Amino acid sequence: MDYIYIGIILLLFFAANFLFQKIHIPPLLAYILMGIALSVVITEEIYILADHIGEIGIMLLFFLLGLHYPLNHLLNISRRIWQVGTMDVILNFGVTFLLAQLFGFGLFTSLIMGGVAYASSSSITIKMLEDTDRDKTPEGEFKVGLLIFEDIVAPVMVSFLVGFSIEGVISGEGIILITVRVVLLILASILIAVYGFRRLELFVNRYLAREFMPLFTLAVAFLIAGLAVYMDLSKLLGVFLAGVILSETRASDGMDSFIEPIKNVTLPFFFFWFGASISFEVGIMAPGFLLLLILWGLIAKMLIGFWGGRIYGLTWKGSLRAAFSLGQRGEFSVVIAALGDPLLRTFCGIYIVVTALVGVLNFHRAPEYAENVFCRLKKTFPGWFANTKNL
Amino acid sequence: MVVNVVIVGGGRVGRELAANLSEKQQTVVIVEKDPEVAKMLKKKLDVLVVNDDGANMATLVKAGIRNAGICIAVTQIDELNLMVCMMADRAGVPTTIARVRNPEGQSNIADTGFSKDEIGVDHVINPERELALEISKMLHYPEAAEIEYFAGGRVMMVATTVTEDTEITGYSLKDVPLPQGCIIVGIKRKDGSFIVPSGEDTVMVGDKVYLIGNVKVMRKASWILHHRETIVKNVVILGGDTVGFTLASILENNPDRKFKIKLIEKDENICKELNRKLTKTMVLHGNYSELSYLNAEEISEADALVTVSGDDRTNIVAAIMGEKLGVKKIVAELTNNEYTYVYDTVGIDNYVNTHLITAYKILRFTRKGDVLALSHLKEQNAEVMELIVPESCKAAGAKVKDANFPKGMLIGTIVRGEEIIVPYGDTVLQPGDNLIIFTLTSISRKLDTYFC
């Protein structure tokens, strides 16, 4: 291992972050673009290293998120999010699949396209929420709820598609099995949180400042993530649940302070790896259809953000902000795309990069867009807003 | 009969209690530790003030605890209030009442394994919970400026301002087209005068009328009065302290209606705690004193806004903002009576006063006889009480018109078993009847003569 490469990459991260902040563009775009640009020159070793470090970064991001969602709060959100989550599956996976079928693509290709279009990028969304200081707003809570729902559905979908790609048939048993595992992991987490970690409150708070506490905290995080992976579930779901469990000790802020710096150093590697992992091996197939899917992908997420936001209980403007903040696809789409042939991988790669870039830019300017759209809606349909006045 | 009442704590609640009880010719002694407050009490009230520490038995003895009929502890400190009641109980006081603000403190009493009797506290009043209950009632019946339930929720009193749309102006009360089962028991005229009306009086636009009746007909009566029915679904609560939290819990657990509740709290740590405790409420972290975009956005889409930030000025500004944003129902918490005129000036008449509510809840326990409920009106010159007609009383067996009740009182309804009766002159009062009586405060004490 040549450590000089790590030094160079970190220096590039620093320069890119600094520069992008100066020109008011989200820095994570810089990491993704760096990954795309350097994918042809970096060695396999660097690629694997970025993957490993980045994985730790993304896991810590989800762990920190979980730390701020106590069990009761999470149950409160889940009560309101399931309807929106179901709509998300229908509009993004279902309609994309149907469009692909209508345009004459094969069953497996259509399923892959539906899978790639389904989930918003959790990592990009959470990082953007953090960067724009909107993580504690009502729509921030809504987005987190939806992402968690997607992270629960995603492994089921991956298992379904992997089974289909290997055996050419859909295994009903396999889907039931993975659904049971998801339920079991969540139930186990609730039990551990209620009967285990609530009782550790005194212990954790007493020793929070001691040097062994980061070890304890990270041990819990990785053990539960490992358990999730062992059960063929998402490690991100596992590590998020670990955060939820530890939040029952009421020491989230203290734990946050020693995990945050590690996350800040490791997370850029994830976005770098994400950019580098997107494949552009061969020419683009069906460019017109690709454009249609990108447009639908952005519109469908807008519908989910807006309509879902209203169902969830957000205000008009809050729903509009959510509508402009969910378009970006990411890591989950990359995993699904990898199941296809080179032609399909390139098709999906372009889809992911374009939605990620447009999604991040939209996210950044969502409050401004929401305000403009709201004013226009109010002028065009005054009846809808009869009860909504301005100061 | 004169009862000696010892009040420990001369704050707003203690002062209100003392004023009310002394007006009813009870002998009141206030124990207040703060010399400045004690001096002010001596100046303002016609009661004996002992300027000393109420936690001391010698002080209580000096205040006459050994001859007291009632001891009320309403200092700012829950533990002190409980301790005073324990000492009073040991000194042989028949009725002890403690204000306990911390809801956990209240449940702790049960957790100790001792009964209230063993601890020595007969009645525990939680002001924040009482206030939250009061607000919740107002949200269920948004047209009403005041609302009170009696007879286990079967009878209600509603106060509402008469508008031009109403169908009841211009009639004498005996001809008013109100549905059977309810009656107008009080009218506050635009000029501020207050009457307990007779059948010949008329209602005018701008009057505030007080109706009592069967809950089943009150919606119909409300429609005749307003020609509109407001249903509150989206509730925004500003302030996540005990009142806000308790109100959200009450609304969450309401079996009749599904409220969509949003609670805005400026303290991040309180938000975290609320998220651990509330199961359906959306808790938002926002600085309501800055009136940020978040608050305006949330408030503009609410059916009801409840401002319980604990700070009068913030509550007033938020209530005005709610009014401007077109919120249908606004309920504001008032902690200092001096701000009443501000609400009146800006036209917000739905404000609730924690101290008054606490005082009135306590006053119920100071009444003799079988008083089940006592509710004082916001105007402070009338009250509604629910009592049972004892077998031995003068009124039992008499017709209403022959009972010689004093002027200034009216029996709103009689609950007799399953029956709810709006009485007329010939209605005979029976022992065990549950009466809901509207009376001017100045004559309410005289009722003891009729019903004891």
Side-chain angles (χ1 to χ4, degrees), chain B residues 248-309:
Chain B
S249 309
I250 291 169
L251 296 179
E252 274 186 354
N253 297 315
N254 188 280
D256 306 326
R257 201 181 298 173
K258 265 191 174 178
F259 289 99
K260 278 189 172 177
I261 315 152
K262 289 182 182 174
L263 191 154
I264 304 175
E265 167 56 44
K266 65 178 175 183
D267 186 317
E268 202 177 343
N269 289 325
I270 295 180
C271 283
K272 283 180 186 168
E273 261 325 287
L274 292 171
N275 270 325
R276 285 179 193 277
K277 289 176 179 168
L278 294 168
T279 52
K280 292 175 193 154
T281 303
M282 205 188 280
V283 179
L284 315 177
H285 178 221
N287 191 349
Y288 35 73
S289 52
E290 283 176 8
L291 303 177
S292 61
Y293 82 93
L294 163 76
N295 302 335
E297 210 177 289
E298 296 297 345
I299 292 169
S300 69
E301 292 185 25
D303 298 323
L305 169 68
V306 180
T307 62
V308 284
S309 70

Side-chain angles (χ1 to χ4, degrees), chain B residues 95-146:
Chain B
T95 306
T96 57
I97 304 162
R99 174 172 73 173
V100 179
R101 310 181 76 158
N102 179 359
E104 284 161 16
Q106 208 177 356
S107 63
N108 281 347
I109 296 174
D111 294 343
T112 57
F114 293 104
S115 68
K116 279 183 185 175
D117 278 350
E118 283 168 322
I119 289 180
V121 185
D122 296 312
H123 306 287
V124 173
I125 297 288
N126 178 347
E128 278 76 15
R129 184 164 175 78
E130 297 297 345
L131 184 67
L133 282 168
E134 198 67 29
I135 296 170
S136 124
K137 280 189 280 186
M138 294 169 107
L139 296 180
H140 278 86
Y141 212 98
E143 274 87 14
E146 286 177 65

Side-chain angles (χ1 to χ4, degrees), chain A residues 126-137:
Chain A
I126 303 297
K127 184 74 176 86
M128 285 300 292
L129 278 173
E130 212 179 76
D131 287 354
T132 52
D133 272 340
R134 278 153 45 200
D135 47 346
K136 281 163 191 153
T137 59

Side-chain angles (χ1 to χ4, degrees), chain B residues 43-325:
Chain B
K43 215 163 144 187
K44 288 197 170 173
L45 299 171
D46 183 23
V47 297
L48 179 65
V49 180
V50 176
N51 179 205
D52 215 332
D53 186 2
N56 189 331
M57 190 63 187
T59 310
L60 292 178
V61 170
K62 196 159 79 179
I65 200 81
R66 295 201 194 282
N67 301 317
I70 301 168
C71 174
I72 305 169
V74 284
T75 70
Q76 295 293 322
I77 306 160
D78 289 352
E79 292 76 8
L80 180 61
N81 293 340
L82 291 171
M83 200 173 98
V84 167
C85 283
M86 287 166 82
M87 290 194 288
D89 185 62
R90 296 289 179 274
V93 178
T95 306
T96 57
I97 304 162
R99 174 172 73 173
V100 179
R101 310 181 76 158
N102 179 359
E104 284 161 16
Q106 208 177 356
S107 63
N108 281 347
I109 296 174
D111 294 343
T112 57
F114 293 104
S115 68
K116 279 183 185 175
D117 278 350
E118 283 168 322
I119 289 180
V121 185
D122 296 312
H123 306 287
V124 173
I125 297 288
N126 178 347
E128 278 76 15
R129 184 164 175 78
E130 297 297 345
L131 184 67
L133 282 168
E134 198 67 29
I135 296 170
S136 124
K137 280 189 280 186
M138 294 169 107
L139 296 180
H140 278 86
Y141 212 98
E143 274 87 14
E146 286 177 65
I147 183 166
E148 198 63 59
Y149 288 90
F150 302 95
R154 292 160 66 201
V155 175
M156 71 195 289
M157 183 219 71
V158 166
T160 184
T161 305
V162 175
T163 61
E164 281 167 1
D165 299 331
T166 182
E167 292 173 25
I168 64 165
T169 50
Y171 294 94
S172 56
L173 284 190
K174 64 177 190 299
D175 301 321
V176 156
L178 280 172
Q180 268 203 340
C182 70
I183 180 175
I184 294 175
V185 288
I187 300 173
K188 188 203 169 193
R189 299 290 188 199
K190 263 202 290 197
D191 62 9
S193 60
F194 202 99
I195 60 163
V196 175
S198 69
E200 300 308 317
D201 285 305
T202 54
V203 173
M204 288 175 280
V205 173
D207 284 351
K208 190 174 181 181
V209 296
Y210 294 82
L211 281 102
I212 289 183
N214 189 333
V215 284
K216 286 179 186 161
V217 303
M218 289 302 257
R219 288 264 170 212
K220 208 169 157 192
S222 171
W223 180 258
I224 291 168
L225 285 167
H226 301 100
H227 278 272
R228 67 162 194 266
E229 188 176 1
T230 311
I231 302 286
V232 168
K233 197 174 177 203
N234 298 311
V235 181
V236 170
I237 303 170
L238 224 64
D241 267 340
T242 319
V243 182
F245 164 68
T246 313
L247 177 64
S249 309
I250 291 169
L251 296 179
E252 274 186 354
N253 297 315
N254 188 280
D256 306 326
R257 201 181 298 173
K258 265 191 174 178
F259 289 99
K260 278 189 172 177
I261 315 152
K262 289 182 182 174
L263 191 154
I264 304 175
E265 167 56 44
K266 65 178 175 183
D267 186 317
E268 202 177 343
N269 289 325
I270 295 180
C271 283
K272 283 180 186 168
E273 261 325 287
L274 292 171
N275 270 325
R276 285 179 193 277
K277 289 176 179 168
L278 294 168
T279 52
K280 292 175 193 154
T281 303
M282 205 188 280
V283 179
L284 315 177
H285 178 221
N287 191 349
Y288 35 73
S289 52
E290 283 176 8
L291 303 177
S292 61
Y293 82 93
L294 163 76
N295 302 335
E297 210 177 289
E298 296 297 345
I299 292 169
S300 69
E301 292 185 25
D303 298 323
L305 169 68
V306 180
T307 62
V308 284
S309 70
D311 176 60
D312 281 321
R313 278 170 289 188
T314 305
N315 290 344
I316 289 168
V317 173
I320 294 170
M321 184 169 144
E323 187 89 351
K324 290 272 176 214
L325 288 167

Side-chain angles (χ1 to χ4, degrees), chain A residues 44-280:
Chain A
E44 184 67 16
E45 200 183 2
I46 296 289
Y47 180 78
I48 292 169
L49 183 76
D51 183 13
H52 288 327
I53 301 176
E55 278 208 1
I56 291 174
I58 188 77
M59 286 170 77
L60 293 182
L61 180 74
F62 270 74
F63 177 62
L64 287 172
L65 185 70
L67 274 181
H68 294 283
Y69 280 87
L71 197 58
N72 189 55
H73 190 190
L74 202 62
L75 293 175
N76 186 355
I77 294 172
S78 63
R79 210 171 272 129
R80 279 176 277 149
I81 208 71
W82 68 269
Q83 272 176 292
V84 188
T86 311
M87 273 168 53
D88 191 21
V89 176
I90 294 168
L91 279 183
N92 284 291
F93 177 79
V95 174
T96 308
F97 169 77
L98 283 178
L99 280 175
Q101 285 280 287
L102 278 176
F103 275 74
F105 289 94
L107 182 63
F108 181 65
T109 306
S110 305
L111 286 171
I112 293 284
M113 286 178 179
V116 168
Y118 168 57
S120 298
S121 166
S122 308
S123 54
I124 296 176
T125 312
I126 303 297
K127 184 74 176 86
M128 285 300 292
L129 278 173
E130 212 179 76
D131 287 354
T132 52
D133 272 340
R134 278 153 45 200
D135 47 346
K136 281 163 191 153
T137 59
E139 70 263 21
E141 185 184 284
F142 162 71
K143 282 174 232 167
V144 169
L146 189 60
L147 294 176
I148 297 305
F149 187 93
E150 286 181 350
D151 274 338
I152 289 172
V153 172
V156 181
M157 202 176 271
V158 171
S159 147
F160 165 83
L161 290 172
V162 168
F164 191 78
S165 67
I166 295 169
E167 295 163 28
V169 286
I170 300 161
S171 155
E173 273 176 34
I175 292 173
I176 292 171
L177 195 68
I178 205 148
T179 311
V180 169
R181 283 180 199 152
V182 169
V183 173
L184 278 178
L185 183 69
I186 293 172
L187 280 180
S189 304
I190 292 174
L191 290 174
I192 295 170
V194 173
Y195 294 105
F197 281 77
R198 271 187 197 168
R199 292 177 187 180
L200 285 182
E201 188 182 338
L202 283 178
F203 167 79
V204 172
N205 282 289
R206 183 176 173 191
Y207 296 112
L208 196 59
R210 305 289 283 272
E211 62 192 37
F212 52 79
M213 278 318 280
L215 298 172
F216 170 73
T217 310
L218 289 175
V220 174
F222 284 94
L223 275 173
I224 296 179
L227 181 68
V229 173
Y230 181 73
M231 294 168 80
D232 285 337
L233 301 175
S234 155
K235 59 179 178 296
L236 297 184
L237 175 66
V239 88
F240 175 80
L241 288 173
V244 172
I245 289 170
L246 277 169
S247 76
E248 292 301 315
T249 61
R250 294 168 186 258
S252 299
D253 288 339
M255 292 180 188
D256 205 300
S257 63
F258 52 70
I259 304 288
E260 184 86 23
I262 314 174
K263 181 215 75 182
N264 287 343
V265 173
T266 51
L267 191 59
F269 282 92
F270 173 79
F271 295 110
F272 175 78
W273 167 85
F274 171 62
S277 68
I278 293 167
S279 160
F280 300 102

